[in-house]
Amino acid sequence: MSVPVKPADDHVWVGAEDDGDWPLLKYQREANDAIATHDVVVWKKSRRIGASWGISWHAALVGSASKSAGGMDVFYMGFEKDMTRQFVSDTGDHARLIEIAASDLQESVFNDPDHPDADLKVFRIDFGSGHEVLGLPSVPRAFRSKQGLVIIDEAAFITDLRAVLKAAFALLIWGGKIVIVSSLNGENNAFNELCVEIEAGKHPDYHLMTTTFDDALEDGLYRRICQKLGRAWSEEDQEKWRAKIIRQYGAGADEELFCIPNPTSGAFLPLILIEARQDRSVPVVRWERLGAFTLLAEHLREAETAYFCRSELKPILDSLDPKTPHVFGMDFARSGDLSVIWILAIGSDLVLRTVLVIELRNIPFEQQKQILWFVLDLLPRFRAGKMDATGNGAWLGEVTMQEYGSRVEPVHLHENWYRENSPFFKAAFEDGTITVPADRDVQDDLRCMVLVRGVGRVPDNAKTGEMGNRHGDAAIAGILAVAASRADPEIYEYTPAPSPFALDGRPSDRGGWAIEDELAAERAGVRTENMGLRGSIY
């Protein structure tokens, strides 16, 4: 599809190109041509080059065309509401400019079948063709029962992009199209990984485009900016402006402007850093029960759990250094996700060495308590622990604190808590002061931590594991354990004063003060067989 030629006096076309008949720059036109030609287009691009604005022209044409002419519904998804509204609004403006009948921007409600109490606002315009352009919330289920052209904008910043793409690709079956456009957000981000796979030939049906800041300048970006601002263009001014923009982006210029992924952004813990701290000797013990286990009689559940503790956990706990302080962190879940107990030993060199990770799935509340308390009772020099007390975890956190005192802290996980504790967790990896298991699932959990509003954390809807049945659980337990290693709990101890009843201050062979035991027994009215002699004859 091509934009029809307009009169030269229409402001958006005047001076836009040498022939004066197209408002788009060369790279914007090439992107729209690729979208018209290919089922899947992935566009890796610099920031602020008008990529979304260019695609919105194509959206206007596709939405306004009849089905026989290749028209279809258009579904736009950005990572936040304002950019979604802007895209739909731009599409409507373009349609009216080229004299296509379109409604004004409308707001409606997206009825979420999975979360009926959490309806979300969506933006839309309708065309005379019967098609619509709809701005959707950035959740995978938004594509349910949809068919048409899907545009996923700034995809690298969408939470759980893999799930969004999985839902979107289902639309291809009945003739839909998909456009995935974004600047980069780290080497380990799902968008960059998709680009790498295409470059490696793993997706021969996908079309990959790359537009850097310099590519956009060559195609006239700064000329267009000068035209819009009413100033004269010159090669010298363009070079000065380019240097200024690069200075402003600083260390992020390579990623933000030149499409070179930064290995330290996006993913909070880069894979190379995790691998450097892995220790293959660290055991990860997993225990899962079927739903029927919950319905067993209490004594049977306790007996089976006790057997698990004795056979799987006790040999590991017995092997721990009795002179080394230990701490733990626990992320709690009852069903669906995992409960993870992460135990660290604090070495004399201040290295936090993971000595055991326990993963529990579908284990009843009481048995989780039984396992945790079994571990804490045998943990050498147990110093401190922090437990996820969000939701159902509050009960276990409270009763464990009551049992073991202030050494255990129930934690309500929220953004401010992550802001205070995530930097220490990452610093331990960077400084080489932590070891972690060499385990695939634990590694995936650690990798799923990302920067959310500048804070390193596990996203609320993150899914890991081959079956998508984890929620970064091990990473949460790990950060809680590191936080526990920095705790300074009050520990109540006492040294008993010497007994006035002791003989020469010497204890008896039985470990207590013999005469004190006898006097206490007499005061309690208990007969003692000492043949009338003080100090016992035993």
Side-chain angles (χ1 to χ4, degrees):
M1 292 183 182
S2 61
V3 176
V5 175
K6 294 295 292 181
D9 60 351
D10 197 314
H11 72 281
V12 78
W13 270 272
V14 172
E17 288 291 332
D18 293 338
D19 57 5
D21 68 354
W22 202 302
L24 302 179
L25 297 173
K26 180 173 178 286
Y27 60 88
Q28 294 170 321
R29 296 202 307 266
E30 289 175 346
N32 286 350
D33 289 343
I35 295 169
T37 305
H38 301 276
D39 290 341
V40 179
V41 174
V42 179
W43 189 3
K44 179 169 55 173
K45 53 89 179 179
S46 166
R47 286 196 184 276
R48 306 301 295 169
I49 62 171
S52 303
W53 187 84
I55 295 173
S56 65
W57 282 93
H58 190 77
L61 296 174
V62 170
S64 63
S66 65
K67 187 174 183 180
S68 60
M72 62 184 77
D73 292 332
V74 179
F75 305 106
Y76 175 90
M77 178 181 289
F79 72 92
E80 55 97 15
K81 185 173 69 176
D82 288 342
M83 67 183 297
T84 303
R85 180 189 180 97
Q86 186 64 53
F87 181 91
V88 178
S89 178
D90 286 345
T91 302
D93 291 343
H94 301 335
R96 284 183 284 275
L97 187 60
I98 54 180
E99 299 177 357
I100 294 174
S103 69
D104 292 331
L105 179 69
Q106 305 170 60
E107 296 182 4
S108 57
V109 174
F110 170 69
N111 300 115
D112 188 342
D114 297 328
H115 302 276
D117 297 328
D119 290 339
L120 301 171
K121 182 184 293 185
V122 298
F123 305 99
R124 66 184 296 161
I125 57 172
D126 298 308
F127 290 100
S129 64
H131 296 133
E132 65 182 1
V133 175
L134 191 63
L136 297 173
S138 56
V139 292
R141 52 191 177 274
F143 291 128
R144 185 178 297 178
S145 302
K146 302 290 193 300
Q147 186 62 43
L149 170 63
V150 171
I151 301 167
I152 303 174
D153 199 359
E154 290 297 0
F157 299 89
I158 289 179
T159 302
D160 202 6
L161 176 61
R162 290 182 178 86
V164 169
L165 294 178
K166 181 179 178 181
F169 280 119
L171 278 70
L172 295 175
I173 296 174
W174 289 93
K177 289 176 175 286
I178 299 174
V179 182
I180 308 164
V181 55
S182 186
S183 50
L184 295 180
N185 184 29
E187 187 177 48
N188 297 319
N189 184 272
F191 175 75
N192 184 64
E193 291 177 349
L194 175 62
C195 294
V196 171
E197 290 174 359
I198 297 173
E199 292 168 342
K202 295 183 178 180
H203 303 288
D205 297 323
Y206 299 179
H207 180 75
L208 177 65
M209 294 181 57
T210 302
T211 305
T212 68
F213 187 53
D214 283 342
D215 294 334
L217 288 176
E218 184 177 346
D219 286 349
L221 175 63
Y222 185 65
R223 286 179 182 270
R224 182 60 54 82
I225 292 172
C226 289
Q227 175 190 333
K228 183 176 179 63
L229 298 178
R231 67 172 63 149
W233 174 89
S234 72
E235 187 74 36
E236 181 182 1
D237 286 345
Q238 178 169 304
E239 286 302 313
K240 290 180 180 178
W241 182 78
R242 176 184 182 276
K244 174 185 174 183
I245 295 298
I246 293 174
R247 282 198 309 271
Q248 288 174 340
Y249 274 99
D254 281 349
E255 180 170 73
E256 303 283 358
L257 303 177
F258 299 107
C259 303
I260 302 172
N262 186 342
T264 62
S265 67
F268 184 66
L269 295 173
L271 177 58
I272 190 171
L273 203 56
I274 298 172
E275 290 177 335
R277 308 300 168 229
Q278 289 178 339
D279 181 353
R280 295 190 178 278
S281 68
V282 177
V284 179
V285 179
R286 295 181 168 96
W287 197 46
E288 179 178 359
R289 298 289 89 181
L290 299 177
F293 179 75
T294 306
L295 303 178
L296 292 177
E298 181 178 355
H299 71 280
L300 295 177
R301 283 185 280 111
E302 289 179 353
E304 189 169 341
T305 303
Y307 177 79
F308 162 75
C309 292
R310 290 193 306 270
S311 60
E312 299 291 334
L313 303 181
K314 190 174 186 300
I316 299 171
L317 295 169
D318 288 345
S319 70
L320 299 181
D321 184 357
K323 298 180 180 180
T324 299
H326 292 79
V327 297
F328 83 97
M330 180 175 183
D331 180 37
F332 179 88
R334 174 57 186 89
S335 60
D337 296 327
L338 296 169
S339 283
V340 180
I341 303 170
W342 189 305
I343 300 173
L344 293 172
I346 305 175
S348 57
D349 54 359
L350 299 182
V351 173
L352 305 176
R353 293 179 173 85
T354 303
V355 294
L356 173 62
V357 173
I358 305 168
E359 295 188 352
L360 307 174
R361 186 183 296 279
N362 201 28
I363 304 301
F365 293 92
E366 283 292 339
Q367 274 54 66
Q368 292 200 42
K369 183 187 80 169
Q370 183 180 349
I371 293 168
L372 176 62
W373 289 16
F374 179 90
V375 170
L376 298 185
D377 286 342
L378 296 181
L379 198 61
R381 296 190 63 187
F382 168 41
R383 176 177 290 184
K386 292 187 184 290
M387 302 177 61
D388 167 25
T390 307
N392 290 333
W395 173 82
L396 184 55
E398 181 176 275
V399 296
T400 305
M401 179 181 64
Q402 291 168 344
E403 177 70 14
Y404 295 92
S406 62
R407 290 179 293 176
V408 175
E409 179 188 2
V411 174
H412 293 277
L413 299 173
H414 50 72
E415 187 166 290
N416 286 337
W417 188 88
Y418 279 109
R419 181 177 288 108
E420 293 173 4
N421 291 279
S422 292
F424 295 99
F425 190 52
K426 185 173 186 178
F429 284 83
E430 293 173 336
D431 300 339
T433 55
I434 191 172
T435 65
V436 300
D439 179 88
R440 181 191 60 201
D441 289 331
V442 172
Q443 175 179 283
D444 287 347
D445 284 359
L446 292 171
R447 290 185 67 190
C448 86
M449 292 187 68
V450 297
L451 288 171
V452 180
R453 292 182 291 274
V455 178
R457 58 174 299 179
V458 175
D460 292 337
N461 60 349
K463 291 295 180 184
T464 58
E466 285 190 332
M467 306 300 294
N469 56 359
R470 300 171 68 96
H471 177 247
D473 310 287
I476 297 172
I479 194 171
L480 284 164
V482 171
S485 73
R486 301 176 55 249
D488 189 19
E490 294 181 351
I491 300 176
Y492 296 93
E493 298 177 334
Y494 74 97
T495 300
S499 170
F501 302 110
L503 294 175
D504 300 324
R506 293 173 295 169
S508 69
D509 293 337
R510 294 177 298 174
W513 299 108
I515 195 169
E516 183 180 12
D517 293 343
E518 292 176 20
L519 290 172
E522 289 180 9
R523 289 168 182 163
V526 178
R527 285 179 59 90
T528 57
E529 299 297 326
N530 57 8
M531 303 180 68
L533 301 175
R534 289 290 184 201
S536 175
I537 60 172
Y538 301 136

